[in-house]
């Protein structure tokens, strides 16, 4: 099978990440498997859009677009999908840099025509220079990174993780785009799960679809200093519960919580045991990690309960629209 053409979509929203955005684009332009195009989708920030257009005016292979939908990450990604011209669309966070073979590993995964999505491994880059002693690796998803408990190698999964992922264009033709109303809307509430909902919807529309994670497709994701604190940890885990309730509403609790059951019954208890063992051996952070795991579970469960109640009352809505092809300016 021929190598697929890949377009990279980077959604951006604030000038505060200017240097991060430039680094993300540079990492795409340095790939050993070149991208056909890089699309910078700006989320309702005309000043940032103008600045980026000036920055890349003379740079081939980079286009700057305005988010054509409502504010938020999902609509931004949908704008990029609609504007892209490639067989495969990859997504990179605006505060991450990709290793040189990132796209090559994605492309290899699509040698099997059944493969509809390929994700990768996201490594945290802590602002303080090192992981906080209390922060459990089982909860690295809190800061948008690959967490302990995911299987190594190139493996089949229920869903890929949105900041380091790729999809065939035909996946969106079958399932529609990312649902708006689930994922992030700048930093006001750190919601998520839009990629989980999409992947479950995709496998329902295409039961033969294969979704992979290849841990050799590596990006390095910056974790700002405020996200190294327990207050953010608690807020993010609560928001994850809210988001999971919406996913369960969309696709049913059986599918929506399938992977989470294994995670909470096997991965997290093992993490608590490791933390307590380290505490008994007087290793730094052991008790804190065990406590953070318990607190994270309780916080997420509370968010799920509140989110489920809101969903039953019809207080929270989201929508999925088909992707309308055509370049946006």
């Amino acid at each position: 099978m021929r190598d697929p053409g890949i377009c990279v979509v980077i959604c951006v929203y604030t000038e505060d990440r200017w240097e991060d955005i430039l680094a993300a684009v540079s990492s795409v332009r340095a790939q050993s498997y070149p991208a056909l195009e890089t699309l910078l989708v700006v989320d309702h920030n005309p000043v940032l859009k103008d600045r980026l257009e000036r920055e890349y005016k003379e740079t081939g292979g980079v286009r700057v677009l305005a988010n054509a939908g409502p504010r938020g990450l999902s609509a931004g990604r949908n704008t990029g999908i609609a504007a892209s011209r490639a067989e495969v669309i990859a997504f990179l966070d605006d505060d991450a840099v990709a290793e040189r073979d990132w796209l090559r590993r994605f492309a290899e995964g699509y040698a099997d025509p059944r493969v509809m999505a390929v994700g990768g491994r996201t490594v945290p880059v802590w602002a303080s220079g090192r992981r906080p002693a209390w922060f459990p690796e089982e909860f690295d998803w809190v800061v948008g990174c690959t967490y302990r408990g995911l299987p190594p190698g190139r493996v089949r999964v229920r869903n890929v993780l949105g900041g380091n992922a790729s999809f065939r264009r035909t996946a969106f033709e079958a399932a529609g785009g990312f649902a708006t109303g689930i994922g992030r809307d700048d930093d006001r509430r750190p919601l998520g799960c839009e990629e989980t909902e999409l992947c479950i919807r995709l496998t329902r529309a295409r039961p033969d679809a294969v979704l992979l994670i290849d841990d050799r497709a590596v990006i390095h994701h910056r974790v700002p200093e405020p996200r190294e604190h327990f207050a953010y940890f608690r807020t993010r885990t609560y928001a994850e519960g809210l988001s999971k309730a919406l996913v369960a509403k969309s696709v049913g609790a059986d599918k929506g919580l399938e992977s989470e059951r294994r995670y909470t019954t096997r991965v997290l208890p093992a993490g608590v045991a490791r933390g307590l063992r380290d505490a008994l051996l007087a290793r730094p952070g052991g008790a804190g990690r065990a406590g953070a795991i318990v607190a994270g579970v309780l916080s997420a469960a509370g968010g799920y309960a509140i989110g489920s109640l809101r969903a039953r009352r019809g207080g929270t809505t989201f929508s999925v629209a088909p992707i309308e092809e055509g370049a946006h300016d």
Side-chain angles (χ1 to χ4, degrees):
M1 186 177 179
R2 65 179 179 80
D3 293 335
I6 304 179
C7 169
V8 178
V9 174
I10 304 174
C11 295
V12 302
Y13 70 96
T14 176
E15 287 186 273
D16 293 342
R17 293 186 177 181
W18 179 256
E19 295 300 328
D20 292 331
I21 296 168
L22 299 187
V25 174
S26 293
S27 75
V28 175
R29 291 174 55 78
Q31 289 294 298
S32 62
Y33 186 101
L36 295 180
E37 190 174 33
T38 301
L39 300 180
L40 291 170
V41 182
V42 184
D43 194 16
H44 298 269
N45 186 335
V47 174
L48 176 59
K49 180 175 180 290
D50 290 345
R51 187 178 179 186
L52 286 169
E53 286 175 335
R54 292 193 300 270
E55 178 71 24
Y56 291 107
K57 183 178 180 180
E58 306 298 329
T59 304
V62 178
R63 272 198 293 160
V64 180
L65 315 171
N67 178 0
R71 187 182 300 275
L73 182 57
S74 291
R77 286 173 174 166
N78 290 342
T79 297
I81 296 163
S84 68
R85 306 184 181 106
E87 180 183 349
V88 171
I89 300 101
F91 300 94
L92 179 66
D93 278 345
D94 64 346
D95 53 356
V97 293
E99 290 191 1
R100 180 170 169 77
D101 289 333
W102 177 59
L103 291 182
R104 182 175 299 281
R105 300 306 183 189
F106 281 172
E108 290 170 355
Y110 290 104
D112 183 342
R114 299 174 302 162
V115 172
M116 289 288 111
V118 183
R121 177 162 58 95
T122 302
V123 178
V125 180
W126 304 94
S128 61
R130 63 192 307 177
R131 171 186 295 275
W134 64 269
F135 202 113
E137 292 182 27
E138 291 83 358
F139 276 81
D140 276 5
W141 55 263
V142 164
V143 291
C145 296
T146 301
Y147 55 90
R148 183 194 288 266
L150 288 176
R154 183 195 287 171
V155 294
R156 191 167 180 172
V157 293
R158 180 195 67 180
N159 63 274
V160 296
L161 305 178
N164 179 8
S166 64
F167 293 84
R168 285 194 196 273
R169 173 174 297 282
T170 51
F172 302 110
E173 293 170 359
F178 289 93
T180 58
I182 293 181
R184 282 182 182 261
D185 175 357
D186 59 55
D187 281 331
R188 283 177 287 181
R189 172 166 283 173
L191 298 171
C193 294
E194 65 275 15
E195 65 274 4
T196 301
E197 193 273 342
L198 170 62
C199 289
I200 295 171
R201 189 164 17 97
L202 170 60
T203 53
R204 283 188 167 179
R206 289 283 303 270
D208 62 331
V210 173
L211 284 64
L212 302 174
I213 284 183
D214 188 335
D215 65 6
R216 300 170 301 168
V218 180
I219 70 170
H220 298 264
H221 185 270
R222 188 174 67 82
V223 181
E225 191 272 338
R227 297 188 183 183
E228 295 187 4
H229 298 287
F230 184 72
Y232 179 81
F233 180 91
R234 185 178 56 214
T235 300
R236 177 68 184 89
T237 51
Y238 177 78
E240 183 75 0
L242 293 175
S243 298
K244 279 292 190 295
L246 280 177
V247 172
K249 177 185 177 183
S250 172
V251 300
D254 286 348
K255 278 291 184 182
L257 300 176
E258 183 178 47
S259 296
E260 288 73 16
R261 290 192 182 95
R262 176 189 172 276
Y263 173 73
T264 55
T265 58
R266 298 183 186 180
V267 175
L268 295 185
V272 171
R274 273 191 300 272
L276 294 176
R277 180 199 62 197
D278 288 349
L280 290 173
L281 296 174
R283 293 172 179 167
R289 290 193 298 275
I293 290 173
V294 173
V297 170
L298 293 175
S299 180
Y304 184 82
I306 295 298
S308 298
L309 181 61
R310 291 177 181 173
R312 284 197 297 270
R313 292 177 174 176
T316 306
T317 60
F318 62 94
S319 61
V320 178
I323 297 295
E324 297 180 1
E325 294 189 19
H328 296 272
D329 297 320

